[in-house]
Amino acid sequence: MIVRAKRVLTPAGLRDDGWVEVAEGLVAAWGVGEPPAPADEMFDLISPGFVDVHSHGGGGANFTDGADAARVVLDAHLAHGTTTMIASLITAPLDALVAQIEALTPLVESGDLAGIHLEGPWLAPSYKGAHDAAMMRDPSLPEIHQVVTSGPVAMVTIAPERPGAIEVIRWLASRQVVVAVGHTGADDACTRAAIAAGARGATHLFNAMPELLHRAPGPVLPLWESPDVWVELVCDGVHVAGDLVAAVMKSKPQRCVLVTDAMAAAGTQDGDYMLGGLAVEVRGGVARLAGTNTIAGSTLTLDQAVRVATRAGAPLELALQAASSHPADYLGITGVGRLEAGDVADIVALDDALQVVKVMRRGHWVR
C-alpha cells in the first residue's frame, strides 16, 4: 500500500508531496515526489500516529478500572489519531496500585499499551491537584521496589522535596524508569538536585507546581532550561495559555511533549465522572473537581492539542513532532512516532484544518 499527501511529516521533517509505502504492518519506505507505484490513498497531511504518554482515560472510562475499561480508553483516543498510549494511574493505596498495574500488564504484553505511568502517591499535598492528599506518602526504596516491579512501569512522577525522594529518583533512573518531577513545591535547588539524580521529565509543566517568580523561580525554571529534561505541556487552552505553550515549544524544540492528561470525558461529552475516588464535573469541556475550581485532568485529545498549539504560533512540524516522535523518545518507546523504514506503520491522515480523516495502526486502517 502507498499513501501520499500534499505534506508528510517524514523522519527528515515536514516535506511537501510525500509518500509512505506500507508492507506487512511496517513502513517499507518513504519519499517525496512521484512514488514507485500509484498511490492507493491521497490526503492533505500525513503524520506518524500520535503518542500520548500521560493520559488517565477517555470514552467514558479510566485506566484505573481494568483491562476492559482500558480498551474503551484506547479506542476513544485512537479515533483522534493516537496509536500509542501510556496508561497513567492516579494516587491510590499501594495495594490498589499493584492491582491496577497487574490488571493492565496483559495489555502491555500484547502491545495495546506501551507501559504504565504512576502519577502518585509520592506527591506534595500542597500541590495535589485532582489527587487525594490523604493517600500521599514519602517515597521509600522498599515500597517503590514493590510497586515498580509488579509490572511494566515506564514512568513515575515524584515531588523531589519529599524525604527519601532523591535516593529513589537515583534508583529508578538506574533501572531505566523515567522519573518526572511534578505535583511539587520544590524550590530551584531541590529541582536541580532531582535532575542531577536522574529526573528527566516535567509532569505537565506549570500545572500543580509554584508559579515562576523572579525571586523564587521554583521548579519551572530548572525544568524548562535543563537540556536533559523533557517538558510535558497540556495544550487545551485551559491548563496553560496557548502563547506560553508555543513559547516553551519554540525555546525547547527538541524536548517538548504534548500530552492530554485526559480523564474519562475525553472523546465524549459533558457530565459527571470519577477520577480515582474523586468526583469530577465536566462543563463546557473543562473538567474540575466537583464543587471547586480545581482542574481535574482534561478532555483533550492529541489532535486537538496540535490544533491549539499551531493556532497559538507553534510551527506545524514541531507540533506534530511533539505529539509523535518526541513522546516516543521521552519514554524510550522504539518503532513508533516516526515513519522510518522498519518502524510500525502507524499513520494519522489529517485535512488542511488538522482534523483527523483516517487512522492506520500496524498497517491497517482502523478509522
Side-chain angles (χ1 to χ4, degrees), residues 40-359:
D40 298 279
E41 300 268 9
M42 181 70 185
F43 301 102
D44 293 324
L45 173 64
I46 287 173
S47 168
F50 299 144
V51 179
D52 194 353
V53 296
H54 186 164
S55 177
H56 300 276
N62 288 305
F63 283 122
T64 53
D65 298 327
D68 290 342
R71 292 186 179 92
V72 173
V73 178
L74 291 168
D75 286 346
H77 287 275
L78 183 62
H80 292 271
T82 298
T83 52
T84 300
M85 293 193 77
I86 294 284
S88 296
L89 303 180
I90 200 166
T91 294
L94 296 187
D95 57 349
L97 279 178
V98 169
Q100 291 167 10
I101 292 167
E102 290 174 346
L104 295 174
T105 294
L107 292 180
V108 180
E109 294 172 343
S110 67
D112 294 291
L113 277 173
I116 296 169
H117 164 215
L118 303 181
E119 191 182 11
W122 307 287
L123 311 176
S126 54
Y127 290 91
K128 63 183 179 61
H131 292 249
D132 189 341
M135 297 182 186
M136 292 179 180
R137 55 202 293 130
D138 294 332
S140 69
L141 283 178
E143 71 178 28
I144 289 280
H145 183 276
Q146 172 197 356
V147 177
V148 169
T149 58
S150 66
V153 174
M155 177 165 62
V156 177
T157 296
I158 290 181
E161 70 272 25
R162 296 207 72 138
I166 298 300
E167 180 186 15
V168 163
I169 290 170
R170 191 174 292 112
W171 182 82
L172 287 168
S174 74
R175 293 180 60 87
Q176 286 72 56
V177 176
V178 174
V179 179
V181 173
H183 289 274
T184 177
D187 60 15
D188 181 283
C190 181
T191 306
R192 292 184 189 279
I195 295 169
R200 289 296 177 264
T203 294
H204 43 52
L205 188 70
F206 301 110
N207 296 112
M209 59 184 64
E211 294 181 2
L212 195 163
L213 302 176
H214 66 294
R215 292 192 180 94
V220 171
L221 179 62
L223 293 171
W224 187 347
E225 75 172 4
S226 171
D228 296 324
V229 173
W230 298 84
V231 294
E232 299 177 8
L233 297 160
V234 184
C235 188
D236 59 355
V238 176
H239 281 71
V240 186
D243 54 356
L244 180 56
V245 169
V248 172
M249 293 177 70
K250 287 185 283 189
S251 72
K252 198 163 187 167
Q254 303 305 318
R255 287 289 188 274
C256 55
V257 177
L258 293 176
V259 299
T260 63
D261 194 17
M263 44 75 71
T268 181
Q269 57 190 3
D270 285 4
D272 298 328
Y273 297 86
M274 297 296 294
L275 182 60
L278 303 177
V280 176
E281 297 172 343
V282 179
R283 304 291 185 266
V286 179
R288 301 185 189 276
L289 290 181
T292 77
N293 287 320
T294 300
I295 296 173
S298 84
T299 62
L300 188 63
T301 53
L302 279 180
D303 61 328
Q304 180 187 354
V306 169
R307 291 192 295 271
V308 174
T310 55
R311 286 199 298 265
L316 175 60
E317 177 178 306
L318 181 56
L320 292 171
Q321 290 169 335
S324 57
S325 60
H326 287 188
D329 291 346
Y330 173 27
L331 270 292
I333 309 169
T334 58
V336 301
R338 290 179 174 83
L339 298 177
E340 190 70 79
D343 284 352
V344 176
D346 291 345
I347 294 173
V348 55
L350 304 107
D351 62 20
D352 285 333
L354 302 181
Q355 297 287 340
V356 173
V357 175
K358 212 165 184 180
V359 181

